[in-house]
Structure formats: structure tokens, C-alpha cells
Amino acid sequence: MSDANTQAVEKYRNNFLKEVSERVEEGDWVKMCMQCGVCSGSCPLGSAWAHPPQEIFMMIRAGKREEVLTSDSMWMCTSCYNCIVRCPRKLPITHIMHGLANYAHRLGLAPKNQPTRVLGTLFWNNAIQNGRINELKFSLALYFKDGFSQGIKNALAMKDAGLGLLKAKRLNPFEIFGGHGCKGKKGIHAMLKKAQEIEARRKNFTA
Amino acid sequence: MAKKEYAFYPGCSSQKGASASNYLTSVNAMCETLDIKLTEIPDWNCCGASIGYAEGGELPRHVMNARNFALAEDNLPGQQIVATCAACWLGARETKERLDASSQLMADTNEALKEAGLNYKGGADVRHMVEVLIEDFGYDELKKPVVKSLEGIKFAGYVGCQTNRPFGIDGESFENPVYLDKLVEMVGGEAIAAYDQKVTCCGGALAFSEPEKSQKQIKDIVESAYDHGAEMIVTPCPLCQANVEIYQSDVNKRYGTKFNIPVLYYSQLMTVAYGGSAKQAGLDGQLIKASKLEQIASKK
């Protein structure tokens, strides 16, 4: 168990709703859910969720901490915002799902090889390295996340699309040598470091 | 026509050699005709996109967007920020609203921005190019420069998610927005009013990470376009465009279908209707060629 997780368990004991309320982005809204199920019914990937949003909200209130934070359900969110615009109580459901996913990731409880978790990490790290996304490096990192031979297989499977994009000048092979980026990337790194410090302070994260 | 100026936030996918570079090509041509001056925000950075939450967390994401706002305020004072990418617009506008609503978040953001030598005062609005076209110009004004009609082409107007939800275009319904259909009709094309997949999600970032789940979305979007007799799909979103165009061959393999439908941007339609060449409209950037549109573009 990670230090951050042990600390959270001790701090909040059996009050998972309080923990979510204080530490998860927009988590305070969970208590407003009236269990109508419109969010679950509106979700494009609803059938792929072990626990759709409405169920996740009830599980939070029932104190099912472990089940919620280790679930891969929140990672099925495609950020389409259907749930938000349809929710009769105007809960920011998309943000709560993002917040829960991020919190589970931060505590080290989210399923290790959950592909969207891996994708999200690769994406963010790629974006902040130079301040802008390097699409070529990002795609390659994703293809090769499970090792070299699987990477070759993945790249070959996407060969036609890749060549098509190359031909259409929508993929630049020279991006591998650096590509686009911000001049002020040092400042970006410093500012993000500070933002992480502030966030940890506000939400009482230890690690 | 009054010349309008905006601080432009193109986003990573619109850069040269990136997946939506043809979108930017057509936006530039369209804006030239409409006398819209877009000045790129100097040294703008990535918005974090929809998937940034997983690793980035809350404040770092807002700080990334706020850096762009601060740069716009410093370098292009008084100008509204305009994004062409749906995710850039959504991410930036979310940040703007959250910062406006919380003085604590604003203070935290500025504490972080200071490290980059910047300060955000909370000025400029964040708008999508489509909003600007419809609200600052209006359909009648946008129609004036049309010199070639796209008559005879049937378009499925695929609005997708993020230009539609949660903000959308003022006065439009989330379930059945009609602005894209109106833009199609404005350039002389035939909009398929009964296209039932117009606001379906394309799978977003999950098209990369969990294709077996998200390709069903793409299949439904393309299939319905065919069922309603569409010859092309048109969209305002770079990720919708990329997912629906690039993965059609994968969807064909997975489902035994034979889809091969061009997916275009509204700005490409407008550029051709305004008399621009195929190259100016970025049609050379299509993986699935929009031949009928190329023919119209090459007509004298």
C-alpha cells in the first residue's frame, strides 16, 4: 500500500464520502446525486463500465472505498459530457469521473495496466516536456508501451493509416528529433512544479 | 465588412505536419475571405486536452490554460481568444469559468504562473471559431462571399461532443443542434436533417487506448451517414475528424463493412464555396479523398 493511501485511510477512516468531497475534483457534488440513472443511460461506453456513474456515486456513499478506487469504470469516460448536460441536478459528472480516476491513480490504486490510464500519463508527460504535444512521439510511446515486439506489431497494424497521414502531410517523421515546442518550457516546468505543490497543500496530500 | 481581430489559439493538432494541419489551412483561407485577422498567441502551450486529467490533476491543468490567457492579455490586449479545436476551446473555457468562480483558484493559479514570470488578470473571453462565425458574423454575412455552390453534395453534419457539450453554441439544443446543417445549406450543399448520429461521441481519446470499445461509436456514426444517403461527413472537431476518417479501415476489418466516406471540416466547405483552390481548402490532407469537392474547387 502506498504511503499516500495509508495516510488517506487513517485520516478518513470509514468516511469515504468525506474523503471524496475534500480530495476529488468536484467531489463535493456526489452527495447531490438522486440515483435517477440518466448518466448511466446516456454514457456512450455505458455497457463497458463495471459500475456506471450512478452506481459509483452510491458506492461512494456506501463507503466502498476499495471497490471504487480500484475499479476501471471511471477510465471508460470519453469526456463526451452527455451525462453533464442531461443530469437533472446539474452534477458535473464528467469532472467527478476524471477526479476519481486521477485520485485513484495518485494513490496507486487504479488498475496498473488500464490502457486509458497509461494513455493519459503518456499524453500529459508528452505535452509538458516541450509545452506542446508531439504526435509522433506520443503515438510511438503508446504503441511500444508493452515492449518492443508488441510495439512493432501495433505499428504494423496501423501502417496504412500512418502512411496515409504521412502522405497527407498530417504526420511529420522529423518530429522524432524534437518537433514543435514552447520557447518558455523552463517556465512551464517551474510553474507546473509550483502548481503541484499548491495542489498537494490544498488537498493535504502527503506524497 | 468590418474587419475583426482575435487572439488565436490553434492548438497542437493544427500545427504544421500534425493531424489537423489541413483544418488550419482551410481556416486561414476562410478567414482571409471574411477579413478576420487571427494573431497567434505567442508561445502558446497545450491545453492538456480531455485526457490530461489522468496525470495532470486539477490545478496543473488550469495553470496550463491560464498561461495562454496571460500571454494573450500581455501580447494581444483587448482581443478575445479564439480556438479552432473543440478540446482546446472546452479545456480553456472550463478553466476560465472555474477561475472566474473562485478567487482561491485564481490566487493559486497566479502563484504558479509567477514561476513563469506571468500574471493572469481574468480578461479575455474564450470562444470557438464556429461561435465567432455565427455570432459575430451571422449566416447572411457568411453567405455573401459564396461564389461556388456545393449543390448536389449531401452532407451528414456530425457535430460530435465537445463543440456541443457542455457549452455548445448559444441557443442551440444539445440533442439536436442545427448550426452545422445551416452552414452546409448556406454553401449550397444538402444537409441531412434526419442524421441521427450527429451528436454521438466518436470515442475521443479512447479510440487510441481501447479501440475495441470505441470503434463501435465510429461504426454507428459512419453507418448512419450512409443509411441516410450522405456522400460526405462534415464536422467542427479535429478529433472527430481524425477518428472517423482514420479508423474507417479498421472498422471495416472489425465489422466486415466497406466504408469509405470523406470526413471534412466546415471550413473546408466554406473555403471551396468562397472560390478557394483544393490546396487552400486543405483537401490534399484527406486520407479519404473528397473528389466531388475537389472537382468543384477546380471549376473556373
Side-chain angles (χ1 to χ4, degrees), chain A residues 38-127:
Chain A
V38 166
C39 52
S40 304
S42 302
C43 178
L45 290 199
S47 60
W49 295 53
H51 307 292
Q54 165 209 10
E55 221 170 285
I56 292 273
F57 294 147
M58 202 49 173
M59 287 163 77
I60 293 171
R61 300 205 293 222
K64 295 192 175 296
R65 183 177 191 275
E66 175 95 13
E67 289 93 323
V68 170
L69 295 177
T70 58
S71 170
D72 88 336
S73 296
M74 303 83 81
W75 298 95
M76 296 300 133
C77 173
T78 63
S79 309
C80 80
Y81 293 77
N82 228 352
C83 52
I84 286 198
V85 301
R86 288 184 181 169
C87 175
R89 287 211 166 160
K90 307 265 179 271
L91 266 70
I93 301 167
T94 310
H95 300 292
I96 304 170
M97 292 305 133
H98 290 177
L100 282 168
N102 175 265
Y103 187 55
H105 173 65
R106 191 184 279 264
L107 294 183
L109 292 175
K112 279 274 169 305
N113 294 317
Q114 209 295 323
T116 303
R117 177 191 188 182
V118 176
L119 174 92
T121 302
L122 292 173
F123 184 91
W124 180 258
N125 292 339
N126 182 306

Side-chain angles (χ1 to χ4, degrees), chain A residues 25 78-81 86 95 102 105 114 116 131-132 135 170 180 183-184 191 199 202-203, chain B residues 15-16 19 43-44 46 53 55 58-59 61 94 98 104 108 162 165 175 209-210 241 245 285:
Chain A
E25 185 167 354
T78 63
S79 309
C80 80
Y81 293 77
R86 288 184 181 169
H95 300 292
N102 175 265
H105 173 65
Q114 209 295 323
T116 303
R132 291 182 195 172
E135 289 183 345
R170 283 162 63 187
H180 302 286
K183 287 190 213 90
M191 133 195 133
E199 187 150 281
R202 293 261 173 255
K203 292 184 180 170
Chain B
Q15 297 178 101
K16 198 163 187 266
S19 57
D43 210 41
W44 57 267
C46 171
Y53 71 83
E55 180 72 25
E58 196 172 354
L59 188 60
R61 250 173 36 238
E94 256 167 24
R98 295 254 200 117
Q104 176 76 75
D108 289 349
Q162 298 194 341
R165 298 184 296 264
E175 309 291 344
S209 56
E210 313 208 33
Q241 196 287 332
E245 187 186 42

Side-chain angles (χ1 to χ4, degrees), chain A residues 8-58:
Chain A
V9 170
E10 279 167 10
K11 183 174 158 72
Y12 293 98
R13 297 290 164 183
N14 289 323
N15 201 340
F16 186 41
L17 179 61
K18 185 161 187 263
E19 182 179 350
V20 169
S21 214
E22 289 180 4
R23 290 185 153 193
V24 171
E25 185 167 354
E26 304 285 314
D28 200 30
W29 282 93
V30 170
K31 53 183 83 137
M32 291 298 289
C33 170
M34 62 180 188
Q35 291 290 304
C36 71
V38 166
C39 52
S40 304
S42 302
C43 178
L45 290 199
S47 60
W49 295 53
H51 307 292
Q54 165 209 10
E55 221 170 285
I56 292 273
F57 294 147
M58 202 49 173

Side-chain angles (χ1 to χ4, degrees), chain A residues 79 81 98 119-128 131-133 138 188 191-192, chain B residues 9 11-13 44-66 68 85-92 94-95 162 205 239:
Chain A
S79 309
Y81 293 77
H98 290 177
L119 174 92
T121 302
L122 292 173
F123 184 91
W124 180 258
N125 292 339
N126 182 306
I128 62 170
R132 291 182 195 172
I133 281 291
F138 172 54
I188 292 176
M191 133 195 133
L192 288 173
Chain B
Y9 179 38
C12 303
S13 67
W44 57 267
N45 56 261
C46 171
C47 66
S50 326
I51 195 70
Y53 71 83
E55 180 72 25
E58 196 172 354
L59 188 60
R61 250 173 36 238
H62 292 314
V63 166
M64 286 292 267
N65 280 305
N68 292 326
C85 168
C88 292
W89 173 58
L90 175 59
E94 256 167 24
T95 293
Q162 298 194 341
L239 193 57

